[in-house]
Amino acid sequence: MAALLLTGGRVVDPANRLDAQTDLLISEGKIAAVGADAAQRAPRDAERMAVDGFVVCPGLIDLHVHLREPGQTSKETLATGTAAAARGGFTSVVCMPNTSPAIDNAGTVALIRERAAQQGIVNVFVAGAISKDIAGEELAPLGGLKRAGVVAITDDGHCVQNNELMRRACEYAKMFDLPVMDHCQDYALVTDGVMHEGYWSTVLGLRGWPSAGEEVIVARNILLAELTGAKVHCQHLSAAGSVALLREAKKRGVPISGEACPHHFTLTDAAVAGSEKFWATDGKTLNSQLSTLNSKCDWPKYDTNFKMNPPLRTARDREAILEGLADGTIEILCSDHAPHCAYEKEVEFDYAPFGITGLETELALSLMQLYHTKRLSLTDLIARFTLGPARLLRLPKGTLSVGAEADVTVFDPDREWVFEKGASASKASNSPFCGWPLRGKAVATIVGGRKAWVEERELAKA
Ligand SMILES: [Zn+2]
């Protein structure tokens, strides 16, 4: 593998508190030099890539991705999912265990890791299940999962309802030094809700999924983290109350953390209505862009690409998530990339599966909502995609330190583009952001020193 020299980029490495226009040298799959001497130290046959005007940062990590293997390859595969990750600027992803069968034993972990090594073009880390078959009744063999290489445990897509079982999971996880990630959903409160319980669910006649259904479990997780000392991580936070609980618990030093996904801090539940008329009551900032795209619509759209779990909530919730990200209460950004077949989503709202794709839009939406609005510096935004997840999962990633694996993302924070349906590398196109004008885009994704993906027009330029 030839050495690769990235010249003239704005190198932002939160782990080393670096933000400077300089060069970066990659050699033998490792970061070999960062700074003025990188060019001098480059061997004569090194490949050069001019990245002036672009940001060069540690490879982005998405710790919440559904790659659908094994068993659901009509939705996504390790090959297509990791290709989408590379296009989105992600060098590492963590795949969720709610597959078919579930990733609840060492054999399935080995299968995923082997296939990912053959077919994946970015690093794939595996999250194992908390309970057998993700049924919430009996613990999965957590020691065996740890030995097989999982980086965390979660029943994502489901939530362990039995608090005693969750307590035992935390105790074992602490023993095995594994973070426990939780999809926070109280089944008794949520029942068969399909969207946020509030004004719009009433207007649209859809069953509601109340914020309390998430907040109750966030509170439970805080208490169990405190009781057991295990690291508990609350996935895809959607409600203002959850952010407040997390903020207060972190102040007390509880080992609890949280993540947010772009759809929850970009859209609101009014999006399910989808009509210009409906948008008006809530149509500030980004939502109003969609109203112009849908300006001819007079009736509620019930667009199933706005159906996710947890659901889109109110403008107040959206604001609380943004504030939580800005003040550091929420230290991790991720997509909850959840691909589905078109035919599965093309049904009545009640019957459609929850979830949307996100790997290729999350960087742009995060830049738009957090960086371009000046809520977060570029360093802090990048930290939420690199240092934050690397710390939680104890991955030797998320840094451009000399000697580290050369996982590097190059992106243009200002590039204006449109996410076109059908142009995605994912097998699926269930995204509410198809056709949206976006700002900010990855142009090169380098994994272990190899170019996993480079935007063609940039390659031509170099
Ligand atoms: Zn989930």
Side-chain angles (χ1 to χ4, degrees):
M1 198 191 314
L4 176 64
L5 181 68
L6 303 178
T7 60
R10 176 176 171 189
V11 180
V12 180
D13 181 12
N16 289 302
R17 293 166 195 243
L18 174 69
D19 182 351
Q21 186 173 7
T22 190
D23 302 337
L24 181 131
L25 176 66
I26 294 166
S27 175
E28 311 280 326
K30 308 264 192 234
I31 305 290
V34 184
D37 63 335
Q40 290 162 9
R41 298 186 44 192
R44 200 175 296 165
D45 65 344
E47 187 186 341
R48 283 161 186 268
M49 202 193 270
V51 291
D52 323 49
F54 298 150
V55 172
V56 177
C57 69
L60 308 181
I61 302 165
D62 187 335
L63 56 48
H64 194 151
V65 171
H66 297 271
L67 293 177
R68 304 301 193 201
E69 286 208 48
Q72 300 164 331
T73 49
S74 56
K75 297 174 193 270
E76 194 78 286
T77 65
L78 284 160
T80 57
T82 57
R87 278 207 209 187
F90 288 81
T91 57
S92 295
V93 295
V94 178
C95 65
M96 295 294 111
N98 60 334
T99 48
S100 177
I103 308 177
D104 64 358
N105 64 84
T108 312
V109 176
L111 172 82
I112 301 289
R113 295 186 69 184
E114 199 180 304
R115 272 199 204 162
Q118 291 163 356
Q119 297 164 21
I121 61 165
V122 305
N123 305 305
V124 175
F125 295 97
V126 182
I130 295 172
S131 66
K132 281 188 187 162
D133 203 23
I134 311 204
E137 283 165 11
E138 213 181 324
L139 282 186
L142 303 185
L145 286 170
K146 167 78 181 187
R147 271 195 302 279
V150 302
V151 294
I153 52 170
T154 174
D155 271 5
D156 184 51
H158 299 265
C159 176
V160 175
Q161 300 295 294
N162 181 325
N163 297 329
E164 202 274 336
L165 188 76
M166 191 63 173
R167 174 193 176 164
R168 299 301 167 210
C170 290
E171 287 171 346
Y172 278 102
K174 182 167 164 60
M175 235 156 64
F176 296 121
D177 198 19
L178 281 170
V180 182
M181 309 203 291
D182 197 21
H183 165 122
C184 305
Q185 177 178 354
D186 183 277
Y187 292 174
L189 277 171
V190 172
T191 62
D192 48 5
V194 294
M195 74 172 291
H196 173 65
E197 180 182 295
Y199 175 76
W200 288 111
S201 64
T202 309
V203 168
L204 298 171
L206 293 171
R207 284 164 297 190
W209 193 138
S211 295
E214 175 178 283
E215 292 153 0
V216 160
I217 299 292
V218 171
R220 182 270 307 257
N221 289 346
I222 289 167
L223 294 170
L224 291 182
E226 211 164 14
L227 176 67
T228 63
K231 275 205 278 185
V232 183
H233 175 73
C234 299
Q235 297 177 286
H236 44 44
L237 294 174
S238 66
S242 304
V243 182
L245 284 163
L246 200 65
R247 184 177 288 121
E248 190 274 333
K250 287 181 83 166
K251 255 184 219 149
R252 283 188 288 126
V254 180
I256 188 96
S257 57
E259 66 185 35
C261 311
H263 45 274
H264 288 129
F265 58 79
T266 302
L267 300 163
T268 68
D269 57 345
V272 180
S275 148
E276 187 179 29
K277 207 160 42 180
F278 292 122
W279 283 102
T281 60
D282 189 34
K284 62 171 189 178
T285 64
L286 286 168
N287 278 352
S288 61
Q289 292 185 348
L290 199 64
S291 76
T292 56
L293 295 174
N294 291 325
S295 58
K296 296 237 163 57
C297 176
D298 291 327
W299 293 95
K301 288 194 71 130
Y302 293 98
D303 185 341
T304 57
N305 284 328
F306 294 99
K307 180 175 177 181
M308 56 281 281
N309 186 359
L312 300 172
R313 300 203 187 272
T314 66
R316 191 179 139 259
D317 294 295
R318 177 178 60 182
E319 185 61 26
I321 303 287
L322 287 166
E323 279 166 15
L325 283 161
D327 72 10
T329 300
I330 303 172
E331 291 168 64
I332 294 171
L333 286 163
C334 63
S335 66
D336 189 10
H337 177 81
H340 291 292
C341 301
Y343 76 86
E344 294 173 296
K345 279 285 200 181
E346 284 164 7
V347 294
E348 290 87 339
F349 200 87
D350 275 338
Y351 302 123
F354 291 101
I356 61 167
T357 61
L359 282 165
E360 290 169 73
T361 49
E362 61 180 309
L363 176 60
L365 291 164
S366 300
L367 285 164
M368 289 162 76
Q369 289 291 72
L370 294 161
Y371 170 64
H372 290 305
T373 55
K374 301 195 166 38
R375 283 178 190 268
L376 276 184
S377 68
L378 207 48
T379 299
D380 287 340
L381 183 131
I382 290 168
R384 278 158 184 65
F385 276 123
T386 55
L387 207 51
R391 266 192 195 143
L392 176 71
L393 304 174
R394 304 247 176 113
L395 302 177
K397 302 267 176 203
T399 170
L400 295 177
S401 297
V402 170
E405 292 275 322
D407 290 352
V408 180
T409 298
V410 182
F411 69 90
D412 179 347
D414 292 306
R415 170 80 63 81
E416 293 185 356
W417 62 292
V418 174
F419 180 59
E420 302 284 2
K421 189 171 184 163
S424 169
S426 167
K427 251 192 174 182
S429 59
N430 53 306
S431 166
F433 301 110
C434 289
W436 269 49
L438 299 173
R439 186 170 172 204
K441 191 175 187 306
V443 294
T445 306
I446 296 159
V447 179
R450 283 174 204 280
K451 287 182 277 185
W453 178 76
V454 177
E455 191 180 60
E456 270 173 48
R457 68 189 236 200
E458 294 313 318
L459 191 67
K461 198 181 82 177

